[in-house]
Amino acid sequence: MQTGESQQIINQVQKIFKRRKLIILVSIMAILAPIIYFNETTSPVYESGTMVVFEEFTGALSTYSYDASRETLIFNRLEEIKSLAFAEDVTKALSQEVLDMIKLPPERPQDFDRFGFLSKKIHKRIAAYPVSKSNIVRISVQ
């Protein structure tokens, strides 16, 4: 009995598709066209990530509890990783070939600081955050 009802439903759906196929095709194209255009014209953004494990903190902060000192250490490291000084160190460590792939502004003033520009651009792309209840920091760069 259900196969007969199922067949009727299928037949009705097929009739609807036959009658409205132009509307369905136009709707699908209207949705897909901007998506395809965006995918083809947007330059790719590559992202890389890693996780860093910080060892146990064995400093002279014996008056603080273990959790507080560990948390302080990790947040200090996070701020170091997200700092402009760290981005400058990264810029120094990158090869000239990699640095040449970073787009510079088309119109540059006479006193344009290429190193400073590249460092700031890298600084904006670095993200770092702690993994919950651990001494692990996740770092990613676009």
Side-chain angles (χ1 to χ4, degrees):
M1 182 84 181
Q2 284 188 346
T3 57
E5 290 176 11
S6 298
Q7 190 61 38
Q8 286 178 341
I9 293 172
I10 291 172
N11 289 338
Q12 288 176 349
V13 170
Q14 286 175 341
K15 286 180 186 177
I16 292 171
F17 277 120
K18 284 180 185 176
R19 282 185 281 169
R20 307 286 187 212
K21 68 181 168 189
L22 183 61
I23 293 173
I24 293 170
L25 289 174
V26 169
S27 299
I28 290 172
M29 291 306 296
I31 292 169
L32 288 180
I35 294 171
I36 292 170
Y37 175 78
F38 179 78
N39 283 339
E40 293 300 319
T41 58
T42 305
S43 58
V45 176
Y46 301 100
E47 183 171 333
S48 179
T50 189
M51 292 170 51
V52 178
V53 178
F54 290 104
E55 297 298 321
E56 298 294 327
F57 183 65
T58 58
L61 298 175
S62 60
T63 58
Y64 294 106
S65 70
Y66 170 74
D67 289 335
S69 62
R70 182 183 66 166
E71 187 175 307
T72 302
L73 172 72
I74 290 175
F75 282 113
N76 286 345
R77 295 295 185 248
L78 281 173
E79 290 306 314
E80 288 175 20
I81 292 167
K82 292 191 273 185
S83 71
L84 182 59
F86 182 77
E88 289 172 351
D89 290 342
V90 170
T91 305
K92 288 177 190 173
L94 291 174
S95 68
Q96 189 61 41
E97 181 181 323
V98 173
L99 292 175
D100 289 341
M101 293 186 336
I102 299 174
K103 292 182 182 178
L104 298 174
E107 295 182 19
R108 298 183 286 274
Q110 284 283 348
D111 59 344
F112 180 73
D113 179 19
R114 184 174 188 267
F115 178 79
F117 176 81
L118 294 173
S119 296
K120 288 177 186 173
K121 195 155 189 170
I122 290 171
H123 177 248
K124 290 178 186 177
R125 301 291 186 175
I126 295 175
Y129 47 93
V131 175
S132 181
K133 297 182 181 182
S134 70
N135 55 346
I136 299 173
V137 173
R138 186 181 308 260
I139 305 169
S140 65
V141 179
Q142 289 186 340

